[in-house]
């Protein structure tokens, strides 16, 4: 028997050792796949072999007890082979159709929701939030929990015109993702600087260089080395906060949420598209974030009722036009939705990293 390759410090582990035997046997030789019901996929190989995939939603940050429960279900009701998707769903692989329904019953009996396939609202991908991140402006995990409580039927069923990907992030600069709908933090005030701590905590040249619009410069305050912010240039991105915690930008009143729509990676039908802002200044209102959830539900309702089959949200908006979109979702269109910032090229050239 061939020996397993030695582990390496980075990259993915060898996937073959975790694959279901039917997948290994028919790797790259699949004839077609079907969608028997939401949460279940059937793949048929040229050899005639079949394999069923049952998908269930789970939280991104799993405790060991939940993980053991999921694995116990896989050992008892499936073939003992699972994998997790990029959106934190668990997928069980079985080669016997008679195991599919008992597996679904076991998952739902344990409190997990089966779904997330085909034209559904996929599980919301999110960043670490208050549990792990050191610079969060909101709790992305909490936003996801609150929204999925409201959208769980759209995950359980496949009733959307096409698949819907939603993402959240808890700051403006590090994590996040491209999605049909994105809920992001929006800082609205420049950072507040604790000048007594800057000299002992921050490497000032690095902080100056980190600003994308050259709004930060060294300064002496009360006889101590510190930093100052040109508020006319500052775009309130928060890039200065991670390397210099005394430049606090998170604020219970002035850190808001913003909703963007229409992002999509390239595919066989079209090139990638950027997200566009549709709602800003939404209250960052834990623990349930009702205002942001209500807007997302309005967008999904209008999309579900007005889009053609297989149109993604961005394609639907491009077809009906942005003025009509704002009417359909009952959101105000303001001057702040128009990108009129002409100075980007000159100000980006002020950074120590970006040159044209």
């Amino acid at each position: 028997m061939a020996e397993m390759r030695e582990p390496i410090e980075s990259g993915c582990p060898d996937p073959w050792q975790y694959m279901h035997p039917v997948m290994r046997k028919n790797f790259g030789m699949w004839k077609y796949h079907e969608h028997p019901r939401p949460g279940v996929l059937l793949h048929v190989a040229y050899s005639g072999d079949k394999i069923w995939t049952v998908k269930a939603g789970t939280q991104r940050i799993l405790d060991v007890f939940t993980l053991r429960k999921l694995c116990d279900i896989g050992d008892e009701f499936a073939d003992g082979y699972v994998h997790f998707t990029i959106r934190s769903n668990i997928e069980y692989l079985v080669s016997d159709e008679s195991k599919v329904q008992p597996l679904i019953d076991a998952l739902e009996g344990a409190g997990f929701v089966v779904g997330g396939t085909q034209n559904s609202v996929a599980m919301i991908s999110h960043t670490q939030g208050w549990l792990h991140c050191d610079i969060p402006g909101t709790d992305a995990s909490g936003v996801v929990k609150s929204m999925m409580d409201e959208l769980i039927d759209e995950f359980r069923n496949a009733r959307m015109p096409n698949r819907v990907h939603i993402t959240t992030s808890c700051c403006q600069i590090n994590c996040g993702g491209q999605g049909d709908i994105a809920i992001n933090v929006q800082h609205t005030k420049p950072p507040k600087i604790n000048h007594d701590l800057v000299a002992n905590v921050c490497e000032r040249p690095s902080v100056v260089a980190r600003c994308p619009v050259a709004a930060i410069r060294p300064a002496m305050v009360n006889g101590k080395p510190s930093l100052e912010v040109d508020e006319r240039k500052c775009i309130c991105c928060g890039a200065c906060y991670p390397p210099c915690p005394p430049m606090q930008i998170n604020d219970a009143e002035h850190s808001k949420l913003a909703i963007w729509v229409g992002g999509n990676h390239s595919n066989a039908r079209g090139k990638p598209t950027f997200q566009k802002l549709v709602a800003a200044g939404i209250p960052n209102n834990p623990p349930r974030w009702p205002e942001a959830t209500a807007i997302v539900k309005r967008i999904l309702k209008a999309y579900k009722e007005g889009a053609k089959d297989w149109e993604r949200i961005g394609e639907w908006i491009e077809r009906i036009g942005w003025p009509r979109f704002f009417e359909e979702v009952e959101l105000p269109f303001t001057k702040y939705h128009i990108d009129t910032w002409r100075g980007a090229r000159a100000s980006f050239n002020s950074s120590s990293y970006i040159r044209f």
Side-chain angles (χ1 to χ4, degrees), residues 133-155:
C133 185
D134 60 342
I135 59 166
T138 189
D139 183 31
S141 310
V143 175
V144 169
K145 165 63 177 169
S146 303
M147 288 193 178
M148 286 309 296
D149 282 350
E150 300 280 339
L151 302 175
I152 197 64
D153 284 340
E154 299 300 346
F155 175 84

Side-chain angles (χ1 to χ4, degrees), residues 150-227:
E150 300 280 339
L151 302 175
I152 197 64
D153 284 340
E154 299 300 346
F155 175 84
R156 185 181 281 120
N157 299 290
R159 300 179 298 202
M160 287 290 167
N162 203 337
R163 196 147 176 77
V164 178
H165 288 155
I166 304 177
T167 66
T168 64
S169 68
C170 49
C171 72
Q172 288 192 158
I173 55 166
N174 288 342
C175 305
Q178 185 82 315
D180 297 292
I181 302 174
I183 302 97
N184 298 323
V185 168
Q186 176 194 35
H187 299 300
T188 60
K189 295 288 185 180
K192 299 176 182 177
I193 305 175
N194 186 333
H195 297 288
D196 293 332
L197 297 178
V198 170
N200 294 330
V201 176
C202 310
E203 187 177 325
R204 294 192 301 156
S206 297
V207 182
V208 171
R210 190 174 173 92
C211 181
V213 292
I216 301 173
R217 53 181 173 257
M220 295 293 292
V221 179
N222 299 326
K224 297 180 180 179
S226 188
L227 297 163

Side-chain angles (χ1 to χ4, degrees), residues 229-299:
V229 176
D230 184 344
E231 297 189 1
R232 296 170 301 173
K233 287 185 176 181
C234 180
I235 57 174
C236 305
C237 68
C240 53
Y241 178 47
C244 188
M247 298 185 71
Q248 177 63 257
I249 194 167
N250 295 329
D251 184 272
E253 180 182 355
H254 300 298
S255 290
K256 308 288 188 179
L257 296 181
I259 294 178
W260 303 65
V261 300
N264 194 18
H265 294 295
S266 60
N267 54 37
R269 294 187 299 167
K271 59 187 179 181
T273 56
F274 288 107
Q275 301 165 144
K276 293 183 174 65
L277 178 70
V278 297
I282 304 166
N284 183 13
N285 191 8
R288 301 299 296 179
W289 291 272
E291 298 86 355
T293 301
I295 293 174
V296 170
K297 288 175 69 176
R298 289 215 302 269
I299 294 171

Side-chain angles (χ1 to χ4, degrees), residues 47 57 78 112 119 155 169 243 288-289 342 345:
S47 65
F112 300 100
N119 294 3
F155 175 84
S169 68
R288 301 299 296 179
W289 291 272
R342 301 289 183 178
R345 189 178 183 89

Side-chain angles (χ1 to χ4, degrees), residues 12 28 82 90 123 197 256 271 281 326:
C12 297
V82 303
I90 190 170
M123 191 64 69
L197 297 178
K256 308 288 188 179
K271 59 187 179 181
F326 278 93

